[in-house]
Coordinates of all heavy atoms in Angstrom, one line a residue:
A290 N -92.9 -12.9 -11.7 CA -92.7 -14.0 -12.7 C -93.3 -15.3 -12.1 O -93.3 -15.6 -10.9 CB -91.2 -14.2 -12.9
T291 N -93.7 -16.1 -13.1 CA -94.3 -17.5 -12.7 C -93.3 -18.6 -13.0 O -93.6 -19.8 -12.8 CB -95.6 -17.7 -13.5 OG1 -95.4 -17.6 -14.9 CG2 -96.7 -16.7 -13.0
R292 N -92.2 -18.2 -13.6 CA -91.1 -19.2 -13.9 C -89.8 -18.7 -13.3 O -89.6 -17.5 -13.0 CB -91.0 -19.4 -15.4 CG -92.2 -20.0 -16.0 CD -92.1 -20.3 -17.5 NE -92.0 -19.0 -18.2 CZ -91.8 -18.9 -19.6 NH1 -91.5 -20.0 -20.3 NH2 -91.7 -17.7 -20.1
P293 N -88.8 -19.6 -13.1 CA -87.6 -19.2 -12.5 C -86.7 -18.3 -13.3 O -86.8 -18.4 -14.6 CB -86.9 -20.5 -12.2 CG -87.5 -21.5 -13.1 CD -88.9 -21.0 -13.3
V294 N -85.9 -17.4 -12.7 CA -84.9 -16.6 -13.4 C -83.6 -17.4 -13.3 O -83.2 -17.9 -12.2 CB -84.8 -15.3 -12.7 CG1 -83.6 -14.5 -13.3 CG2 -86.1 -14.5 -12.9
L295 N -82.9 -17.5 -14.4 CA -81.6 -18.2 -14.4 C -80.5 -17.3 -14.0 O -80.4 -16.2 -14.5 CB -81.3 -18.8 -15.8 CG -82.3 -19.8 -16.4 CD1 -81.7 -20.2 -17.8 CD2 -82.4 -21.0 -15.5
L296 N -79.7 -17.8 -13.1 CA -78.5 -17.1 -12.7 C -77.3 -17.9 -13.1 O -77.1 -19.0 -12.6 CB -78.4 -16.9 -11.1 CG -79.6 -16.2 -10.5 CD1 -79.4 -16.2 -9.0 CD2 -79.7 -14.8 -11.0
L297 N -76.6 -17.5 -14.2 CA -75.5 -18.4 -14.7 C -74.2 -17.9 -14.2 O -73.7 -16.8 -14.6 CB -75.5 -18.3 -16.3 CG -76.8 -18.8 -16.9 CD1 -76.6 -19.0 -18.4 CD2 -77.3 -20.1 -16.3
D298 N -73.6 -18.7 -13.4 CA -72.2 -18.4 -12.8 C -71.2 -18.8 -13.8 O -70.6 -19.9 -13.7 CB -72.1 -19.1 -11.4 CG -70.8 -18.8 -10.8 OD1 -70.0 -18.0 -11.3 OD2 -70.5 -19.5 -9.8
H299 N -70.9 -18.0 -14.7 CA -69.9 -18.3 -15.8 C -68.5 -18.1 -15.4 O -67.6 -18.5 -16.1 CB -70.2 -17.6 -17.1 CG -70.1 -16.1 -17.0 ND1 -69.0 -15.4 -17.2 CD2 -71.1 -15.2 -16.7 CE1 -69.2 -14.1 -17.0 NE2 -70.5 -13.9 -16.7
G300 N -68.2 -17.6 -14.2 CA -66.9 -17.5 -13.7 C -66.3 -18.8 -13.1 O -65.2 -19.0 -12.8
D301 N -67.2 -19.8 -13.0 CA -66.8 -21.1 -12.5 C -67.6 -22.2 -13.2 O -68.4 -23.0 -12.7 CB -67.2 -21.2 -11.0 CG -66.7 -22.5 -10.3 OD1 -65.7 -23.1 -10.8 OD2 -67.3 -23.0 -9.3
N302 N -67.3 -22.3 -14.5 CA -68.0 -23.2 -15.4 C -67.1 -24.4 -15.6 O -66.0 -24.3 -16.2 CB -68.3 -22.5 -16.7 CG -68.8 -23.4 -17.8 OD1 -68.4 -23.3 -19.0 ND2 -69.6 -24.4 -17.5
C303 N -67.5 -25.6 -15.2 CA -66.6 -26.8 -15.2 C -66.4 -27.2 -16.7 O -65.4 -27.8 -17.0 CB -67.2 -27.9 -14.4 SG -68.6 -28.8 -15.2
M304 N -67.2 -26.8 -17.6 CA -67.0 -27.1 -19.0 C -66.0 -26.1 -19.7 O -65.8 -26.1 -20.9 CB -68.3 -27.2 -19.8 CG -69.1 -28.4 -19.5 SD -68.2 -30.0 -19.6 CE -67.9 -30.1 -21.3
S305 N -65.4 -25.3 -18.9 CA -64.3 -24.5 -19.3 C -63.1 -24.6 -18.4 O -62.1 -23.8 -18.5 CB -64.7 -23.0 -19.4 OG -65.6 -22.8 -20.5
G306 N -63.2 -25.6 -17.4 CA -62.1 -25.8 -16.5 C -62.3 -25.3 -15.1 O -61.4 -25.4 -14.3
G307 N -63.6 -24.9 -14.8 CA -63.9 -24.4 -13.5 C -63.8 -25.5 -12.4 O -64.0 -26.7 -12.8
T308 N -63.7 -25.1 -11.2 CA -63.6 -26.1 -10.1 C -65.0 -26.6 -9.7 O -65.2 -27.6 -9.0 CB -62.9 -25.5 -8.9 OG1 -63.7 -24.3 -8.5 CG2 -61.5 -25.1 -9.2
C309 N -66.0 -25.8 -10.0 CA -67.4 -26.1 -9.7 C -67.6 -26.0 -8.2 O -68.6 -26.6 -7.6 CB -67.8 -27.5 -10.2 SG -69.6 -27.7 -10.6
D310 N -66.8 -25.2 -7.5 CA -67.0 -25.1 -6.0 C -66.9 -23.7 -5.5 O -66.9 -23.5 -4.2 CB -66.0 -26.1 -5.3 CG -64.6 -25.4 -5.0 OD1 -64.1 -24.6 -5.8 OD2 -64.1 -25.7 -4.0
T311 N -66.8 -22.7 -6.3 CA -66.7 -21.4 -5.8 C -68.1 -20.9 -5.4 O -69.1 -21.3 -6.0 CB -66.1 -20.4 -6.8 OG1 -67.0 -20.3 -7.9 CG2 -64.8 -20.8 -7.3
M312 N -68.2 -20.1 -4.3 CA -69.4 -19.8 -3.7 C -69.8 -18.3 -3.8 O -70.8 -17.9 -3.2 CB -69.4 -20.2 -2.2 CG -69.0 -21.6 -1.9 SD -70.0 -22.8 -2.8 CE -71.6 -22.5 -2.0
D313 N -69.1 -17.5 -4.6 CA -69.3 -16.1 -4.6 C -70.7 -15.7 -5.0 O -71.3 -14.8 -4.4 CB -68.3 -15.5 -5.7 CG -66.9 -15.8 -5.3 OD1 -66.4 -16.9 -5.7 OD2 -66.2 -14.9 -4.7
V314 N -71.3 -16.3 -6.0 CA -72.6 -15.9 -6.5 C -73.7 -16.3 -5.5 O -74.6 -15.5 -5.1 CB -73.0 -16.6 -7.9 CG1 -74.4 -16.2 -8.3 CG2 -71.9 -16.1 -8.9
L315 N -73.6 -17.5 -4.9 CA -74.6 -17.9 -3.9 C -74.5 -17.0 -2.7 O -75.5 -16.6 -2.1 CB -74.4 -19.4 -3.5 CG -75.3 -19.9 -2.4 CD1 -76.8 -19.7 -2.8 CD2 -75.0 -21.3 -2.1
Q316 N -73.3 -16.8 -2.2 CA -73.0 -15.9 -1.1 C -73.6 -14.5 -1.3 O -74.3 -14.0 -0.4 CB -71.5 -15.9 -0.7 CG -71.2 -15.3 0.6 CD -69.8 -15.5 1.0 OE1 -69.0 -16.1 0.2 NE2 -69.4 -15.1 2.2
A317 N -73.4 -14.0 -2.5 CA -73.9 -12.6 -2.7 C -75.4 -12.6 -2.9 O -76.1 -11.7 -2.4 CB -73.3 -12.1 -4.0
A318 N -76.0 -13.7 -3.4 CA -77.4 -13.8 -3.6 C -78.1 -13.8 -2.2 O -79.1 -13.2 -1.9 CB -77.8 -15.0 -4.4
L319 N -77.5 -14.6 -1.3 CA -78.1 -14.7 0.0 C -77.9 -13.4 0.8 O -78.8 -13.0 1.5 CB -77.4 -15.9 0.8 CG -77.6 -17.3 0.3 CD1 -76.7 -18.3 1.1 CD2 -79.1 -17.7 0.3
A320 N -76.8 -12.7 0.6 CA -76.6 -11.5 1.2 C -77.6 -10.4 0.8 O -77.9 -9.5 1.5 CB -75.1 -11.0 1.0
Q321 N -78.0 -10.5 -0.5 CA -79.0 -9.6 -1.0 C -80.4 -10.0 -0.7 O -81.4 -9.3 -1.1 CB -78.9 -9.4 -2.5 CG -77.6 -8.7 -2.9 CD -77.8 -8.1 -4.4 OE1 -78.8 -7.9 -4.9 NE2 -76.6 -7.7 -5.0
G322 N -80.6 -11.1 0.1 CA -81.9 -11.5 0.5 C -82.7 -12.3 -0.5 O -83.9 -12.5 -0.3
L323 N -82.1 -12.8 -1.6 CA -82.8 -13.6 -2.5 C -83.2 -15.0 -1.9 O -82.4 -15.5 -1.1 CB -81.9 -13.9 -3.8 CG -82.0 -12.8 -4.9 CD1 -81.6 -11.5 -4.4 CD2 -81.2 -13.3 -6.1
T324 N -84.4 -15.4 -2.1 CA -84.9 -16.7 -1.6 C -85.5 -17.5 -2.7 O -85.7 -17.0 -3.8 CB -85.9 -16.4 -0.5 OG1 -87.0 -15.7 -1.0 CG2 -85.3 -15.7 0.7
G325 N -85.8 -18.7 -2.4 CA -86.4 -19.6 -3.5 C -85.4 -19.9 -4.6 O -85.7 -19.9 -5.7
I326 N -84.2 -20.3 -4.1 CA -83.1 -20.6 -5.1 C -82.8 -22.1 -5.1 O -82.7 -22.7 -4.1 CB -81.8 -19.8 -4.7 CG1 -82.1 -18.4 -4.3 CG2 -80.8 -19.9 -5.8 CD1 -80.9 -17.7 -3.6
A327 N -82.8 -22.6 -6.3 CA -82.2 -24.0 -6.5 C -80.8 -23.8 -7.1 O -80.6 -23.1 -8.1 CB -83.1 -24.8 -7.5
V328 N -79.9 -24.5 -6.5 CA -78.5 -24.3 -6.9 C -77.9 -25.7 -7.3 O -78.1 -26.7 -6.6 CB -77.6 -23.8 -5.7 CG1 -76.2 -23.5 -6.1 CG2 -78.3 -22.6 -5.1
G329 N -77.1 -25.7 -8.4 CA -76.5 -27.0 -8.6 C -75.8 -27.1 -10.0 O -76.2 -26.4 -10.9
P330 N -74.9 -28.1 -10.0 CA -74.4 -28.7 -8.9 C -73.1 -28.0 -8.3 O -72.4 -27.4 -9.1 CB -74.0 -30.1 -9.4 CG -73.7 -29.9 -10.8 CD -74.6 -28.8 -11.3

Side-chain angles (χ1 to χ4, degrees):
T291 58
R292 294 182 292 175
V294 173
L295 299 183
L296 306 175
L297 299 192
D298 180 7
H299 59 91
D301 183 27
N302 171 219
C303 74
M304 288 307 291
S305 292
T308 60
C309 208
D310 89 322
T311 65
M312 305 306 297
D313 302 81
V314 178
L315 177 58
Q316 191 167 5
L319 295 175
Q321 287 202 20
L323 272 61
T324 60
I326 313 169
V328 185

